[in-house]
Each structure stands twice: as C-alpha cells, then as structure tokens.
Amino acid sequence: MRYYRRDLLTLLISLFILSSCKNPSGIGLDNNPGDSFYGILNDTLALHTVTLKDDSARSVFLPEDRTSNIPSINIGQLPFGYFKDDIFGETQANVAFTVLRPDEGDARLPEDAQLDSAVLIFRYGSSFVGDSVSSTYTVQVKPLNEIYGPVSTYYSNKVWDVKDEVIASAQIHKFRLTDSVAVTVKGSTGEDSTVKVSPQMRLRLDNNFVSNLFAHSLDSATLNSDAGFINHIKGFFLTVDKPNLQGIGGLATLGFSETRIDPSTGAINSVSPNGISITYHVKTEDGERDTTLTKMFPIPLPSTSQVSSYMSSNVSRSYSSTIQEQLANTNTNQTTVYAQGMGGLRTRISFPNIDQLKGKKIAINKAQLVIYVDEDHLGTSAGPAPRLTLYRKDIAGKNQPIPDGDSRYMRDPRSQYGLNGIGPKEALGGFYDKTNKRYVFNLTSYIQDVILDKVQNSAIYIAPAWDNVNINGVPFWSDINAPTRVVLKGYNETDAKAKKENRTKLNIYYTELD
C-alpha cells in the first residue's frame, strides 16, 4: 500500500483543481477528510437518473422464511383517502376488508333483538400526506360482490368487485390521526357513559342492512362456522366519494389495533382490533325491562406465522402530464426525478461509465450517494418523504438488498445492521436531512463489489419507505405503509456547475494499493 503526503504547495494546487468538489455533480474519487492518503478526483464519469413505475406493493403480511432467507413483510398501516397532488396528480387508496364472527356465542342476532346501532371502527395509523386543514371527505362503505379471502395474497393493484349499495356514509372534515375520540357507551341497564378512545374513524352502518346480514332466521350451522360466515359476509369496501370531495384531500393511514401501554411498566395491557360493534337490546326473561347488549365482529390482526389478513388497500392513480412525460421517456437522463410510495414511482440511478474504475488497484474506504430534494419542482401539496429506501436487482430481475443495508436473517457479513444496536439509519441511511434538504446512503461495500465485477447490474432503485424503524428493517420492496412522495434533483453536470448547486452525486473515498 502506498501513502501520499502533501506539502503546502501540493495542497494549494489540489484545492484549486478540486474546487468542484464543493458541488460535485456525478461520480467522484475524492480524498477522505483527515486521512494521509488521497485519490485523484475523476469528474468525467456520469450518473443516469430516471423515473420509473414501481412494482405493485404487497398489501398483506408475508411471514419470514429463514431457510430461503426471505424476510417478513410487515404491514403496520394501510393508506386510505383521495389526494389531488399538484405535482403527481390524483391518487386514491381504498380499503377492502371482512370481519370474523365473535369468539363466543351465536353470530346471529337474537330473535327478539332490536338494533340500536352498528358502528364500523378503524384505528388510525401514523402517516398523512395532503391537506390537514380545509379538505372535507365523504367516506362510504359498500358491500363487496366477491369474497374477501383472509389467506389470499393481495397487492395494491387489486381491482375489487364492489356493489353500488351504500351501507354507510359520513362527512369527515379532517382525518384526526392524533385526536382521541369521545364515545358514548350504553350500559346493560340503559345508562349511558362517555369514554375516551384512541384516534379512530367511526362510521354508522345502515341498521336494516346489518339486521338482515346477521338475522336470526339465517342457518345457524352455516353462520357459526368460520368458512360459512366468511362466505355469507363476503366483505366490505371503504372508499372516498370522489365527486363530493372538497379541497385537495389527502392520504391518511389506518392501523390494525388500539394498543394500550402501561406508562409505568411499558407492558401492553390490551389490544383492541378494528371491527363492527353492534349494540342491541332484548327483553329480560321476566319481560319487565330491556337489557342492552353488544356484539363485536372483529377485523383480526394479521397473523405472524402465515399469510392471513382481513384488510388490505388497493391504490389507483391518474398521473399528471409531467409524470406521464417522464414515464414515456425513460431512455434519456432526467434532471428532475420522482418517487412515490405504495407501489407508485421509483427513481433508478445507474453508472454508465463506472467501468472506468474497474481494474484500478484501489480499496474503497467510504462511498456515499447524496441525493438532494428539488424544491423548485416539489410543489405545495406535500413535503419530502421522511425516509427513502435503496435496493438493487439481481440478474433474474428480482429485488435484492445491497450489502451495506442488509437486514435479513442471514445478512451479508459486511452489513452493519444490528451490530451494537445499529439500525437502518446508521447502516444504510436514507432518512431526510431537513437542514441540508437531502438524503445520504452508505454504499461502501456495494461500490467495491461493482468495481470488482461482483455485481453485473450496477443500477440501484430508490423509493419511499415508512420511517417507523421498528417495521421491516431495511425494505427492498414497494412499501404499502408509506403514502409519501418526493421530487429529487437528478444528474445534471451542466446545471450543477453553472448554478453552483448540489445535485445527485456519488462520493468515493479510497486508498490506492500496490
């Protein structure tokens, strides 16, 4: 190994020659600050940036397969709503779901039951994109005309067969993701009480529809078996009535349960799933007074051992002319690029001239991909995604993690993920830096593999991911959990130099070997 020492004159000359390092516009071999060795800046290499349609996003849980080293795909929240984005265009996310019969007792209503109310309950998730102040939504529930299969695999591009009948409709002025809700609870003696519950959407279902759906006259043997119940119920469809939307709208997220944690011990006290809560009253045996009762038809939590989910999202889009033009011209380098979660859009970055680095006797000390938000084209509808993920494709075209951010059970030995508590942010990066308006990814091992010809297809892909670091580690797939989007500065060497602006770049720090 050879080390190079710089005297004052050499240092001044180097600083003059490398002045473009302040705003490098592409791949560069740069000196590692603080090291006594350095490389020669190679500013002749270019990046190629382009916007592509992403793969559809898996909308139900996938269990881990350690034998095949396939990680679990966890779904912690699902997108819902309608959003008129001034840059991306229109996006609608609906939720299809079904309920399960109660754990105990007859699924049917008693013969003499008089229905008081039937309320559909959905807990909110943690993410929102759009107008949180002035938009008003008409939210509707309709029956499915096909059976929702709890063990079926659904993706974001699933088109559901939905009946025209509206069995619930309500105007929502704001998706209140952080506001608790006051709920009136009827006691068994008819006395009402008010309790506060976690942030949730509550929709009153049509009493006649519910009474007929769970009528006592239905066959007991059929309705009280899991398969018979699901075949009878089929499922439901939660949607926003687009013609009655006021404002630009937004995309909220729906969670799967309410979890109450003891603040003193951190223990989980109870987990309450979503579902349909039916309140009704019947005569007591002596016939003198009514008794108020409740049946809960839950939307069960996703299984942790098999594909089993009772709710999923489907997402449809009508892209703006700007996005359509991008997607129609993917062979040219695009100086502004776009990424959208939920299986929408991703940015591909490739290195067409990286072969120039192959064969050089160098060891990569650090390689970082730096991507800046394009504020001039970001629009005013939504801010940058809090987090982006990055992955590659193998020779078979399948998504794969890069070694630096591998969070699978059997990880690349060079991955820092999980070592001494290191998480996604430190291992791979990709979290939004508000101060510098950029995302930084660590690609040291990956770039070394590319230069050593261990990777044949060197292109990488970038898309939004949920910023909840406890979910999915470092995903290398389309993330249904993230309704977010971002506009990025692609590669443009001319603009970077003329405007002295920061653009997408790859910084490489290396040691020259003998």
Side-chain angles (χ1 to χ4, degrees):
M1 181 180 297
R2 292 182 293 168
Y3 295 89
Y4 292 81
R5 298 185 179 277
R6 295 186 242 187
D7 57 18
L8 180 59
L9 179 60
T10 303
L11 178 60
L12 292 174
I13 294 173
S14 299
L15 289 174
F16 175 74
I17 294 175
L18 304 181
S19 60
S20 61
C21 289
K22 295 178 181 178
N23 298 289
S25 55
I27 297 179
L29 295 179
D30 202 359
N31 64 295
N32 199 357
D35 289 343
S36 59
F37 45 79
Y38 68 98
I40 300 172
L41 177 67
N42 188 330
D43 60 359
T44 63
L45 301 180
L47 301 179
H48 189 276
T49 52
V50 66
T51 303
L52 302 173
K53 281 189 176 180
D54 204 352
D55 300 326
S56 57
R58 187 183 180 94
S59 192
V60 297
F61 172 78
L62 175 71
E64 179 184 48
D65 183 350
R66 292 188 174 183
T67 302
S68 301
N69 204 26
I70 298 174
S72 62
I73 296 181
N74 297 298
I75 312 296
Q77 58 183 16
L78 291 169
F80 172 72
Y82 184 86
F83 182 30
K84 296 178 180 178
D85 190 304
D86 59 345
I87 300 299
F88 285 73
E90 301 177 34
T91 301
Q92 180 155 7
N94 308 302
V95 174
F97 65 97
T98 192
V99 296
L100 196 61
R101 64 188 181 89
D103 291 335
E104 298 179 356
D106 195 339
R108 303 172 302 169
L109 292 171
E111 188 172 9
D112 61 341
Q114 293 186 19
L115 193 64
D116 295 322
S117 66
V119 180
L120 173 63
I121 303 167
F122 274 112
R123 271 78 187 186
Y124 283 119
S126 62
S127 303
F128 178 82
V129 174
D131 173 24
S132 61
V133 179
S134 59
S135 291
T136 298
Y137 312 79
T138 298
V139 177
Q140 296 179 337
V141 180
K142 300 179 179 181
L144 287 179
N145 203 31
E146 62 177 295
I147 296 173
Y148 187 105
V151 295
S152 299
T153 301
Y154 297 121
Y155 287 83
S156 58
N157 61 350
K158 162 69 176 174
V159 178
W160 291 93
D161 186 2
V162 182
K163 294 182 179 179
D164 293 332
E165 181 184 6
V166 177
I167 60 173
S169 181
Q171 274 204 336
I172 295 179
H173 299 287
K174 179 182 179 181
F175 291 124
R176 301 182 182 277
L177 274 64
T178 59
D179 295 345
S180 59
V181 179
V183 177
T184 300
V185 179
K186 287 185 175 294
S188 59
T189 61
E191 297 177 355
D192 294 347
S193 61
T194 301
V195 297
K196 280 199 169 185
V197 295
S198 63
Q200 57 189 244
M201 181 190 302
R202 300 175 65 88
L203 303 172
R204 188 178 291 271
L205 299 172
D206 180 75
N207 279 8
N208 289 331
F209 175 85
V210 174
S211 295
N212 292 330
L213 190 65
F214 301 111
H216 191 78
S217 59
L218 296 170
D219 179 64
S220 174
T222 298
L223 206 61
N224 287 309
S225 69
D226 287 344
F229 183 85
I230 289 174
N231 288 337
H232 170 69
I233 298 297
K234 289 188 176 180
F236 307 92
F237 194 70
L238 180 70
T239 186
V240 170
D241 184 28
K242 183 170 61 173
N244 287 321
L245 175 73
Q246 297 177 27
I248 64 171
L251 296 172
T253 47
L254 303 179
F256 288 88
S257 66
E258 173 189 13
T259 302
R260 297 178 181 177
I261 301 177
D262 188 324
S264 60
T265 65
I268 297 177
N269 290 335
S270 64
V271 177
S272 177
N274 300 319
I276 297 176
S277 178
I278 298 177
T279 302
Y280 59 96
H281 62 274
V282 294
K283 290 287 186 181
T284 57
E285 291 183 0
D286 57 17
E288 293 185 357
R289 63 183 178 86
D290 290 342
T291 297
T292 300
L293 301 172
T294 299
K295 278 185 181 289
M296 181 67 184
F297 295 85
I299 302 174
L301 302 178
S303 169
T304 58
S305 60
Q306 62 180 353
V307 176
S308 178
S309 181
Y310 288 76
M311 55 187 285
S312 62
S313 284
N314 81 307
V315 185
S316 59
R317 299 171 174 86
S318 178
Y319 284 123
S320 65
S321 58
T322 299
I323 299 295
Q324 292 181 40
E325 184 178 352
Q326 291 270 62
L327 297 175
N329 295 278
T330 57
N331 292 324
T332 61
N333 181 69
Q334 297 171 355
T335 58
T336 298
V337 286
Y338 303 82
Q340 182 188 38
M342 311 170 296
L345 302 171
R346 59 185 170 186
T347 294
R348 183 183 66 199
I349 301 177
S350 52
F351 319 113
N353 300 326
I354 202 167
D355 285 351
Q356 295 181 28
L357 303 182
K358 296 178 180 179
K360 293 181 180 292
K361 294 181 178 181
I362 58 176
I364 305 300
N365 300 312
K366 183 170 68 174
Q368 290 185 323
L369 179 68
V370 185
I371 307 173
Y372 289 87
V373 170
D374 192 335
E375 293 188 292
D376 291 339
H377 298 90
L378 186 62
T380 59
S381 298
R387 180 190 180 190
L388 302 178
T389 192
L390 181 148
Y391 55 89
R392 66 179 183 89
K393 288 185 177 290
D394 60 20
I395 58 175
K398 294 183 178 180
N399 293 358
Q400 297 292 345
I402 63 167
D404 307 79
D406 191 351
S407 63
R408 296 174 297 178
Y409 175 68
M410 293 182 285
R411 298 166 194 152
D412 188 291
R414 297 165 294 176
S415 175
Q416 297 297 304
Y417 183 88
L419 298 177
N420 300 318
I422 292 177
K425 190 171 186 178
E426 297 81 9
L428 177 67
F431 289 76
Y432 183 51
D433 178 351
K434 293 182 180 179
T435 301
N436 296 300
K437 305 184 187 309
R438 68 183 187 181
Y439 305 85
V440 179
F441 292 94
N442 302 314
L443 305 181
T444 304
S445 298
Y446 179 68
I447 294 300
Q448 185 74 70
D449 284 351
V450 172
I451 292 175
L452 293 177
D453 255 343
K454 292 183 179 180
V455 176
Q456 295 182 13
N457 183 0
S458 63
I460 51 179
Y461 298 83
I462 295 169
W466 195 13
D467 57 336
N468 185 337
V469 298
N470 298 315
I471 300 293
N472 292 323
V474 180
F476 51 95
W477 53 83
S478 304
D479 191 354
I480 195 71
N481 293 288
T484 52
R485 47 72 128 191
V486 69
V487 183
L488 303 168
K489 291 182 179 180
Y491 175 78
N492 188 328
E493 183 180 12
T494 302
D495 273 8
K497 290 181 178 180
K499 299 178 182 179
K500 296 182 180 180
E501 66 175 355
N502 290 310
R503 282 190 164 268
T504 298
K505 60 183 179 180
L506 178 63
N507 292 332
I508 301 177
Y509 306 95
Y510 76 101
T511 302
E512 187 171 332
L513 306 173
D514 289 332

